[in-house]
Amino acid sequence: MKKIKSPWYGLTWIAIWTAALAWFLGSGLFNERESIGLIIVWAILVATTMYVIYRHIKVHGWRSLQTKPAEKAASPALNAPCPCGSGKKYKRCCGT
């Protein structure tokens, strides 16, 4: 599984945990002691995620938060050998 390095991913998880906590507390299925436990677990998850985001920003800077444009791979010249390894020219193989 590919590791996602964007801090926006962490903010998404915080939103999910907050929505789940709101549902659990609003459902009425938990007594007061269990509700306090849920709030403590939520606070630990949020604090840990915020620390990871802080470290990411400290190491990579604020510019890492901006989305980067997708880099388009340059296609080879028409008369160059095809990158697939067939031995044919690009225009006769994958370039058609």
XYZ file of all heavy atoms in Angstrom:
755
model
N 0.845 -1.178 0.000
C 0.000 0.000 0.000
C 0.887 1.237 0.000
O 1.847 1.320 0.748
C -0.895 -0.034 1.236
C -1.914 1.026 1.271
S -3.039 0.674 2.635
C -4.132 1.980 2.434
N 0.542 2.175 -0.839
C 1.335 3.388 -0.957
C 1.067 4.314 0.222
O -0.079 4.525 0.602
C 0.971 4.097 -2.263
C 1.796 5.320 -2.526
C 1.406 5.948 -3.845
C 2.187 7.217 -4.064
N 1.793 7.886 -5.299
N 2.125 4.844 0.811
C 1.977 5.762 1.931
C 1.631 7.150 1.402
O 2.310 7.680 0.539
C 3.285 5.813 2.730
C 3.194 6.693 3.947
C 4.486 6.658 4.733
C 4.369 7.555 5.934
N 5.606 7.594 6.703
N 0.560 7.711 1.940
C 0.142 9.045 1.530
C 0.832 10.060 2.418
O 0.748 9.986 3.630
C -1.387 9.189 1.610
C -2.030 8.162 0.682
C -1.827 10.586 1.252
C -3.520 8.125 0.749
N 1.535 11.009 1.808
C 2.345 11.948 2.575
C 1.698 13.315 2.735
O 2.275 14.201 3.315
C 3.707 12.096 1.905
C 4.486 10.812 1.857
C 5.819 11.012 1.190
C 6.594 9.716 1.138
N 7.865 9.880 0.489
N 0.508 13.489 2.232
C -0.128 14.796 2.292
C -0.749 15.038 3.662
O -1.392 14.163 4.223
C -1.212 14.889 1.227
O -1.952 16.071 1.390
N -0.560 16.231 4.218
C -1.209 16.541 5.494
C -2.719 16.646 5.368
O -3.437 16.529 6.348
C -0.588 17.870 5.905
C 0.032 18.430 4.692
C 0.335 17.291 3.781
N -3.240 16.849 4.158
C -4.684 16.905 3.969
C -5.322 15.563 4.294
O -6.479 15.498 4.701
C -5.025 17.324 2.542
C -4.525 18.685 2.221
C -3.553 19.001 1.312
C -4.929 19.933 2.796
N -3.327 20.353 1.290
C -4.172 20.948 2.195
C -5.855 20.277 3.767
C -4.317 22.278 2.532
C -5.994 21.611 4.098
C -5.234 22.591 3.479
N -4.584 14.503 4.117
C -5.070 13.171 4.463
C -5.342 13.086 5.965
O -6.359 12.534 6.388
C -4.018 12.141 4.038
C -4.421 10.710 4.221
C -5.381 10.134 3.408
C -3.834 9.923 5.200
C -5.740 8.815 3.558
C -4.189 8.604 5.358
C -5.135 8.053 4.532
O -5.503 6.753 4.680
N -4.460 13.649 6.772
C -4.656 13.662 8.220
C -5.867 14.482 8.627
O -6.619 14.111 9.533
N -6.078 15.607 7.959
C -7.244 16.440 8.257
C -8.542 15.720 7.894
O -9.558 15.888 8.572
C -7.144 17.771 7.516
C -5.985 18.678 7.970
C -5.909 19.911 7.098
C -6.145 19.061 9.422
N -8.500 14.897 6.862
C -9.675 14.102 6.498
C -10.005 13.115 7.606
O -11.167 12.944 7.974
C -9.413 13.355 5.174
O -9.088 14.299 4.161
C -10.618 12.542 4.766
N -8.977 12.472 8.169
C -9.218 11.523 9.263
C -9.756 12.227 10.499
O -10.605 11.685 11.212
C -7.954 10.738 9.589
C -7.825 9.553 8.701
C -6.931 9.378 7.693
C -8.656 8.398 8.706
N -7.153 8.182 7.079
C -8.200 7.547 7.682
C -9.744 7.992 9.471
C -8.797 6.316 7.412
C -10.333 6.766 9.199
C -9.855 5.944 8.178
N -9.289 13.417 10.782
C -9.814 14.168 11.928
C -11.308 14.430 11.735
O -12.101 14.281 12.665
C -9.030 15.482 12.135
C -7.623 15.169 12.650
C -9.756 16.409 13.098
C -6.716 16.376 12.750
N -11.691 14.785 10.519
C -13.111 15.022 10.239
C -13.928 13.745 10.409
O -15.038 13.764 10.966
C -13.282 15.582 8.827
N -13.386 12.615 9.966
C -14.091 11.331 10.109
C -14.243 10.962 11.577
O -15.318 10.548 12.024
C -13.348 10.231 9.319
C -13.480 10.489 7.822
C -13.882 8.846 9.687
C -12.591 9.628 6.961
N -13.161 11.105 12.357
C -13.227 10.771 13.790
C -14.206 11.681 14.523
O -14.917 11.240 15.426
C -11.854 10.868 14.432
C -10.878 9.858 13.930
C -11.123 8.582 13.547
C -9.483 10.045 13.755
N -9.976 7.969 13.134
C -8.946 8.848 13.252
C -8.624 11.120 13.958
C -7.608 8.680 12.974
C -7.289 10.947 13.682
C -6.786 9.747 13.191
N -14.248 12.942 14.139
C -15.158 13.886 14.790
C -16.612 13.523 14.475
O -17.473 13.552 15.359
C -14.846 15.321 14.341
O -13.464 15.601 14.631
C -15.717 16.329 15.064
N -16.883 13.166 13.235
C -18.244 12.765 12.864
C -18.652 11.487 13.595
O -19.785 11.368 14.074
C -18.340 12.577 11.353
N -17.725 10.544 13.713
C -18.023 9.301 14.426
C -18.281 9.573 15.901
O -19.208 9.004 16.498
C -16.869 8.308 14.259
N -17.477 10.440 16.507
C -17.680 10.782 17.912
C -19.038 11.439 18.118
O -19.760 11.103 19.065
C -16.563 11.706 18.414
C -16.701 12.184 19.857
C -16.501 11.015 20.810
C -15.717 13.295 20.144
N -19.413 12.338 17.224
C -20.709 13.007 17.337
C -21.849 11.996 17.235
O -22.832 12.071 17.981
C -20.849 14.079 16.260
N -21.697 11.022 16.349
C -22.736 10.007 16.213
C -22.818 9.143 17.464
O -23.909 8.848 17.950
C -22.479 9.138 14.990
C -23.573 8.131 14.799
C -24.752 8.335 14.171
C -23.583 6.787 15.283
N -25.496 7.193 14.223
C -24.813 6.221 14.901
C -22.685 6.011 15.994
C -25.157 4.918 15.201
C -23.033 4.705 16.298
C -24.253 4.165 15.911
N -21.649 8.705 17.970
C -21.640 7.870 19.173
C -22.263 8.593 20.363
O -23.054 8.013 21.107
C -20.221 7.429 19.535
C -19.690 6.332 18.654
C -18.424 6.427 18.104
C -20.438 5.203 18.380
C -17.927 5.424 17.297
C -19.948 4.193 17.574
C -18.693 4.298 17.025
N -21.891 9.850 20.543
C -22.430 10.594 21.683
C -23.913 10.901 21.505
O -24.663 10.933 22.478
C -21.630 11.882 21.893
C -20.162 11.697 22.298
C -19.488 13.043 22.430
C -20.037 10.897 23.579
N -24.345 11.109 20.285
C -25.746 11.409 20.030
C -26.646 10.190 20.024
O -27.871 10.308 20.125
N -26.049 8.996 19.912
C -26.871 7.786 19.824
C -27.497 7.403 21.161
O -28.525 6.729 21.191
C -26.026 6.622 19.307
O -25.053 6.241 20.277
N -26.874 7.807 22.262
C -27.401 7.461 23.577
C -27.107 6.037 24.001
O -27.668 5.537 24.981
N -26.231 5.346 23.278
C -25.900 3.957 23.606
C -24.844 3.831 24.703
O -24.636 2.748 25.234
C -25.400 3.231 22.347
C -26.401 3.113 21.202
C -25.725 2.523 19.977
C -27.573 2.251 21.627
N -24.196 4.929 25.028
C -23.095 4.882 25.989
C -23.456 5.685 27.230
O -24.081 6.735 27.147
C -21.819 5.455 25.344
C -21.386 4.689 24.130
C -21.725 5.136 22.862
C -20.668 3.525 24.252
C -21.355 4.431 21.734
C -20.276 2.811 23.133
C -20.619 3.258 21.874
N -23.005 5.185 28.387
C -23.243 5.938 29.619
C -22.199 7.040 29.738
O -21.341 7.207 28.869
C -23.249 5.017 30.844
C -21.917 4.311 31.056
O -20.881 4.788 30.615
N -21.944 3.176 31.731
N -22.233 7.793 30.822
C -21.348 8.953 30.967
C -19.878 8.550 30.991
O -19.035 9.193 30.360
C -21.701 9.693 32.255
C -20.904 10.964 32.460
C -21.300 11.696 33.736
O -22.385 11.448 34.262
O -20.474 12.507 34.179
N -19.569 7.481 31.691
C -18.166 7.038 31.802
C -17.626 6.593 30.441
O -16.493 6.913 30.072
C -18.079 5.907 32.819
C -16.685 5.489 33.117
C -16.687 4.476 34.225
N -15.330 4.145 34.584
C -14.996 3.303 35.513
N -15.925 2.714 36.228
N -13.736 3.045 35.773
N -18.420 5.853 29.690
C -17.986 5.410 28.365
C -17.850 6.594 27.407
O -16.936 6.618 26.577
C -18.988 4.398 27.813
C -19.006 3.092 28.567
C -20.172 2.202 28.178
O -21.205 2.726 27.723
O -20.032 0.977 28.331
N -18.720 7.566 27.549
C -18.645 8.756 26.697
C -17.365 9.534 26.957
O -16.727 10.022 26.018
C -19.850 9.655 26.937
O -21.032 8.998 26.562
N -16.973 9.632 28.218
C -15.715 10.315 28.546
C -14.537 9.557 27.936
O -13.599 10.156 27.405
C -15.576 10.476 30.074
C -16.624 11.472 30.582
C -14.170 10.936 30.457
C -16.720 11.562 32.087
N -14.595 8.227 27.981
C -13.542 7.418 27.355
C -13.460 7.655 25.860
O -12.363 7.753 25.290
N -14.611 7.743 25.202
C -14.625 8.021 23.769
C -14.018 9.390 23.460
O -13.273 9.545 22.488
C -16.056 7.969 23.236
C -16.701 6.593 23.119
C -18.171 6.727 22.766
C -15.992 5.760 22.082
N -14.335 10.370 24.289
C -13.794 11.714 24.079
C -12.284 11.719 24.274
O -11.549 12.373 23.522
C -14.493 12.720 25.013
C -15.959 12.878 24.589
C -13.785 14.066 25.007
C -16.809 13.648 25.567
N -11.788 10.968 25.243
C -10.338 10.890 25.483
C -9.639 10.233 24.297
O -8.596 10.718 23.822
C -10.041 10.159 26.803
C -10.496 11.016 27.985
C -8.557 9.809 26.918
C -10.436 10.308 29.324
N -10.203 9.137 23.793
C -9.599 8.466 22.631
C -9.609 9.400 21.420
O -8.619 9.502 20.688
C -10.357 7.149 22.319
C -9.941 6.583 20.975
C -10.116 6.142 23.420
N -10.727 10.106 21.212
C -10.805 11.066 20.103
C -9.736 12.145 20.250
O -9.071 12.508 19.274
C -12.202 11.694 20.079
C -12.329 12.814 19.110
C -12.553 12.719 17.767
C -12.211 14.206 19.395
N -12.598 13.972 17.217
C -12.390 14.906 18.195
C -11.982 14.930 20.558
C -12.336 16.287 18.120
C -11.938 16.304 20.489
C -12.116 16.978 19.283
N -9.556 12.668 21.479
C -8.570 13.727 21.705
C -7.155 13.225 21.422
O -6.332 13.957 20.846
C -8.668 14.250 23.133
N -6.860 11.990 21.781
C -5.530 11.424 21.518
C -5.315 11.266 20.010
O -4.235 11.608 19.492
C -5.357 10.082 22.258
C -5.277 10.332 23.762
C -4.123 9.340 21.765
C -5.344 9.076 24.601
N -6.315 10.768 19.297
C -6.188 10.613 17.842
C -5.981 11.960 17.156
O -5.112 12.100 16.283
C -7.438 9.933 17.279
C -7.614 8.452 17.590
C -8.984 7.982 17.138
C -6.533 7.642 16.934
N -6.748 12.952 17.561
C -6.630 14.284 16.948
C -5.277 14.907 17.278
O -4.612 15.473 16.412
C -7.797 15.192 17.389
C -7.558 16.628 16.971
C -9.102 14.686 16.805
N -4.845 14.793 18.541
C -3.555 15.380 18.931
C -2.406 14.724 18.187
O -1.478 15.404 17.727
C -3.365 15.254 20.433
N -2.444 13.403 18.050
C -1.383 12.698 17.330
C -1.358 13.116 15.863
O -0.288 13.369 15.300
C -1.594 11.183 17.435
O -1.650 10.818 18.809
C -0.474 10.418 16.760
N -2.515 13.210 15.253
C -2.582 13.611 13.843
C -2.107 15.047 13.654
O -1.385 15.346 12.701
C -4.014 13.440 13.316
O -4.432 12.101 13.554
C -4.082 13.728 11.836
N -2.490 15.925 14.554
C -2.037 17.318 14.456
C -0.516 17.416 14.617
O 0.131 18.226 13.956
C -2.747 18.193 15.492
C -4.223 18.391 15.215
S -4.582 19.071 13.595
C -3.985 20.724 13.792
N 0.053 16.578 15.472
C 1.512 16.571 15.637
C 2.191 16.100 14.346
O 3.202 16.670 13.930
C 1.919 15.676 16.807
C 3.414 15.565 16.962
C 4.164 16.624 17.461
C 4.087 14.415 16.580
C 5.532 16.546 17.589
C 5.463 14.325 16.703
C 6.178 15.383 17.212
O 7.536 15.291 17.325
N 1.629 15.075 13.713
C 2.203 14.588 12.454
C 2.124 15.673 11.380
O 3.074 15.892 10.624
C 1.482 13.298 12.002
C 1.874 12.913 10.594
C 1.778 12.167 12.965
N 1.012 16.386 11.316
C 0.872 17.482 10.355
C 1.877 18.594 10.663
O 2.523 19.136 9.765
C -0.570 18.020 10.360
C -1.515 16.963 9.798
C -0.680 19.315 9.566
C -2.975 17.288 9.975
N 2.048 18.924 11.948
C 3.016 19.946 12.353
C 4.427 19.551 11.921
O 5.171 20.369 11.377
C 2.951 20.139 13.871
C 4.124 20.892 14.438
C 4.244 22.261 14.283
C 5.130 20.217 15.129
C 5.325 22.950 14.792
C 6.213 20.889 15.641
C 6.313 22.257 15.474
O 7.396 22.925 15.971
N 4.796 18.290 12.149
C 6.139 17.826 11.759
C 6.311 17.876 10.240
O 7.371 18.235 9.750
C 6.387 16.407 12.272
C 6.479 16.286 13.773
C 7.688 16.919 14.354
N 8.865 16.285 13.790
C 10.076 16.786 13.806
N 10.295 17.948 14.381
N 11.085 16.172 13.277
N 5.268 17.526 9.513
C 5.345 17.564 8.051
C 5.578 18.991 7.573
O 6.418 19.234 6.706
C 4.059 17.004 7.442
C 4.044 17.041 5.953
N 4.610 16.053 5.198
C 3.552 17.949 5.078
C 4.468 16.351 3.928
N 3.824 17.498 3.815
N 4.838 19.937 8.144
C 4.995 21.337 7.738
C 6.367 21.862 8.146
O 7.004 22.605 7.405
C 3.858 22.190 8.327
C 2.535 21.816 7.657
C 4.130 23.677 8.152
C 1.324 22.440 8.290
N 6.851 21.451 9.308
C 8.163 21.909 9.774
C 9.277 21.392 8.869
O 10.218 22.119 8.562
C 8.389 21.447 11.213
C 9.626 22.023 11.835
C 9.720 21.660 13.302
C 10.974 22.258 13.901
N 11.133 21.885 15.303
N 9.162 20.150 8.418
C 10.208 19.559 7.573
C 10.091 20.038 6.119
O 11.076 20.437 5.514
C 10.141 18.016 7.641
C 11.054 17.382 6.603
C 10.501 17.535 9.032
N 8.889 20.024 5.570
C 8.702 20.314 4.152
C 8.272 21.744 3.862
O 8.302 22.159 2.706
C 7.674 19.347 3.557
C 8.085 17.916 3.652
N 9.090 17.377 2.889
C 7.638 16.915 4.445
C 9.237 16.110 3.192
N 8.366 15.803 4.137
N 7.843 22.471 4.857
C 7.427 23.850 4.659
C 5.983 23.962 4.199
O 5.315 22.977 3.908
N 5.510 25.193 4.150
C 4.126 25.457 3.775
C 3.863 25.157 2.313
O 2.743 24.915 1.910
C 3.766 26.910 4.066
C 3.571 27.162 5.512
C 4.458 27.754 6.350
C 2.449 26.816 6.320
N 3.962 27.805 7.630
C 2.715 27.236 7.632
C 1.243 26.192 6.059
C 1.824 27.042 8.666
C 0.352 26.014 7.099
C 0.649 26.434 8.386
N 4.905 25.192 1.493
C 4.713 24.962 0.063
C 4.253 23.545 -0.228
O 3.656 23.279 -1.254
C 5.996 25.235 -0.709
C 6.397 26.685 -0.636
C 7.522 26.975 -1.558
N 7.108 28.172 -2.279
C 7.501 28.491 -3.456
N 8.340 27.726 -4.083
N 7.078 29.581 -4.043
N 4.521 22.610 0.694
C 4.100 21.224 0.475
C 2.591 21.078 0.575
O 2.034 20.086 0.138
C 4.772 20.291 1.472
O 4.298 20.559 2.779
N 1.898 22.070 1.135
C 0.451 22.006 1.257
C -0.252 22.317 -0.051
O -1.408 21.968 -0.236
C -0.040 22.972 2.344
C 0.447 22.691 3.755
C -0.092 23.751 4.693
C 0.011 21.318 4.209
N 0.433 22.994 -0.942
C -0.164 23.340 -2.224
C -0.160 22.118 -3.124
O 0.769 21.319 -3.117
C 0.613 24.471 -2.885
C 0.609 25.755 -2.088
C 1.535 26.794 -2.696
O 2.318 26.495 -3.582
N 1.442 28.008 -2.195
N -1.205 21.968 -3.904
C -1.256 20.834 -4.818
C -0.301 21.074 -5.970
O -0.186 22.183 -6.493
C -2.673 20.618 -5.361
O -3.098 21.816 -5.992
C -3.627 20.256 -4.241
N 0.372 20.031 -6.367
C 1.330 20.120 -7.458
C 0.645 19.682 -8.748
O -0.109 18.715 -8.752
C 2.527 19.212 -7.173
C 3.289 19.638 -5.943
C 4.417 18.700 -5.642
C 5.109 19.111 -4.355
N 6.127 18.180 -3.938
N 0.902 20.376 -9.843
C 0.284 19.961 -11.101
C 0.852 18.613 -11.552
O 2.024 18.294 -11.321
C 0.668 21.079 -12.081
C 1.866 21.726 -11.486
C 1.732 21.552 -9.998
N 0.022 17.823 -12.175
C 0.461 16.513 -12.654
C 1.460 16.712 -13.791
O 1.236 17.499 -14.714
C -0.723 15.706 -13.142
N 2.555 15.985 -13.682
C 3.588 16.086 -14.715
C 3.250 15.120 -15.841
O 3.015 13.945 -15.614
C 4.957 15.756 -14.120
C 5.403 16.735 -13.064
C 6.731 16.339 -12.449
O 7.407 15.463 -13.014
O 7.083 16.912 -11.428
N 3.208 15.637 -17.048
C 2.892 14.816 -18.195
C 4.184 14.213 -18.735
O 5.169 14.914 -18.943
C 2.208 15.665 -19.259
C 1.692 14.878 -20.418
C 0.942 15.769 -21.378
C 0.456 14.954 -22.562
N -0.236 15.802 -23.518
N 4.154 12.915 -18.946
C 5.333 12.239 -19.482
C 5.508 12.627 -20.951
O 4.545 12.635 -21.728
C 5.186 10.735 -19.356
N 6.727 12.956 -21.296
C 7.013 13.357 -22.669
C 7.048 12.117 -23.550
O 7.683 11.120 -23.232
C 8.347 14.087 -22.742
N 6.321 12.156 -24.667
C 6.346 11.022 -25.582
C 7.607 11.119 -26.433
O 8.089 12.216 -26.731
C 5.095 11.017 -26.452
O 5.042 12.189 -27.226
N 8.138 9.983 -26.845
C 9.357 10.015 -27.661
C 9.062 10.540 -29.062
O 7.910 10.627 -29.496
C 9.784 8.545 -27.708
C 8.566 7.767 -27.390
C 7.717 8.633 -26.527
N 10.106 10.872 -29.760
C 9.960 11.341 -31.143
C 9.397 10.204 -31.999
O 9.518 9.025 -31.650
C 11.307 11.789 -31.685
N 8.753 10.558 -33.102
C 8.093 9.544 -33.931
C 9.068 8.517 -34.484
O 8.736 7.342 -34.614
C 7.329 10.224 -35.073
C 6.098 11.029 -34.650
C 5.478 11.708 -35.864
C 5.088 10.134 -33.968
N 10.267 8.943 -34.843
C 11.232 8.010 -35.425
C 12.154 7.375 -34.390
O 13.045 6.621 -34.750
C 12.059 8.709 -36.501
C 11.241 8.982 -37.746
O 10.395 8.175 -38.117
N 11.476 10.117 -38.376
N 11.933 7.642 -33.129
C 12.751 7.033 -32.071
C 12.254 5.614 -31.809
O 11.108 5.266 -32.118
C 12.639 7.867 -30.801
N 13.111 4.767 -31.244
C 12.665 3.414 -30.911
C 11.544 3.465 -29.864
O 11.531 4.322 -28.992
C 13.910 2.740 -30.330
C 15.045 3.610 -30.683
C 14.513 4.971 -30.964
N 10.615 2.552 -29.975
C 9.467 2.527 -29.070
C 9.924 2.131 -27.658
O 10.717 1.198 -27.495
C 8.420 1.543 -29.578
S 6.878 1.655 -28.668
N 9.431 2.822 -26.611
C 9.848 2.506 -25.246
C 9.298 1.172 -24.728
O 9.726 0.694 -23.696
C 9.310 3.679 -24.422
C 8.229 4.279 -25.229
C 8.573 3.995 -26.657
N 8.364 0.554 -25.450
C 7.821 -0.721 -24.981
C 8.803 -1.862 -25.195
O 8.640 -2.934 -24.628
C 6.489 -1.030 -25.664
S 6.620 -1.500 -27.402
N 9.837 -1.657 -26.016
C 10.875 -2.665 -26.211
C 10.638 -3.580 -27.395
O 11.288 -4.613 -27.524
N 9.726 -3.226 -28.274
C 9.416 -4.099 -29.416
C 10.486 -4.027 -30.505
O 10.569 -4.918 -31.337
C 8.064 -3.720 -30.008
O 8.119 -2.411 -30.550
N 11.273 -2.960 -30.515
C 12.286 -2.784 -31.546
C 11.779 -1.992 -32.736
O 12.551 -1.651 -33.626
N 10.484 -1.714 -32.780
C 9.915 -0.934 -33.873
C 10.058 0.553 -33.574
O 10.343 0.936 -32.446
C 8.433 -1.264 -34.043
C 8.149 -2.686 -34.404
C 6.649 -2.890 -34.522
C 6.316 -4.325 -34.834
N 4.852 -4.528 -34.894
N 9.823 1.368 -34.614
C 9.786 2.804 -34.395
C 8.508 3.138 -33.627
O 7.498 2.438 -33.741
C 9.810 3.553 -35.722
C 11.128 3.479 -36.432
C 11.099 4.299 -37.693
C 12.443 4.251 -38.385
N 12.453 5.101 -39.569
N 8.562 4.229 -32.867
C 7.425 4.641 -32.052
C 6.183 4.895 -32.901
O 5.076 4.519 -32.515
C 7.799 5.896 -31.240
C 6.678 6.443 -30.405
C 6.266 5.778 -29.253
C 6.018 7.613 -30.763
C 5.233 6.266 -28.474
C 4.968 8.110 -30.004
C 4.586 7.433 -28.852
O 3.558 7.918 -28.099
N 6.362 5.494 -34.100
C 5.194 5.824 -34.932
C 4.524 4.581 -35.485
O 3.352 4.611 -35.835
C 5.614 6.768 -36.059
C 6.551 6.170 -37.097
C 6.896 7.193 -38.159
C 7.860 6.612 -39.189
N 8.250 7.623 -40.155
N 5.234 3.448 -35.545
C 4.651 2.209 -36.084
C 4.136 1.280 -34.974
O 3.494 0.299 -35.253
C 5.691 1.442 -36.902
C 6.217 2.188 -38.079
C 5.233 2.115 -39.199
N 5.767 2.840 -40.360
C 5.013 3.369 -41.280
N 3.715 3.284 -41.187
N 5.541 3.986 -42.301
N 4.456 1.608 -33.737
C 4.092 0.718 -32.620
C 3.050 1.373 -31.727
O 1.867 1.356 -31.999
C 5.354 0.348 -31.834
S 5.068 -0.896 -30.571
N 3.489 1.985 -30.647
C 2.573 2.564 -29.677
C 2.093 3.962 -30.059
O 1.179 4.475 -29.441
C 3.268 2.641 -28.290
S 3.634 1.001 -27.630
N 2.698 4.587 -31.037
C 2.331 5.936 -31.433
C 1.179 5.988 -32.412
O 0.760 7.066 -32.816
N 0.658 4.833 -32.799
C -0.444 4.851 -33.774
C -1.768 5.114 -33.098
O -2.025 4.826 -32.001
C -0.530 3.509 -34.533
O -0.678 2.456 -33.614
C 0.697 3.317 -35.377
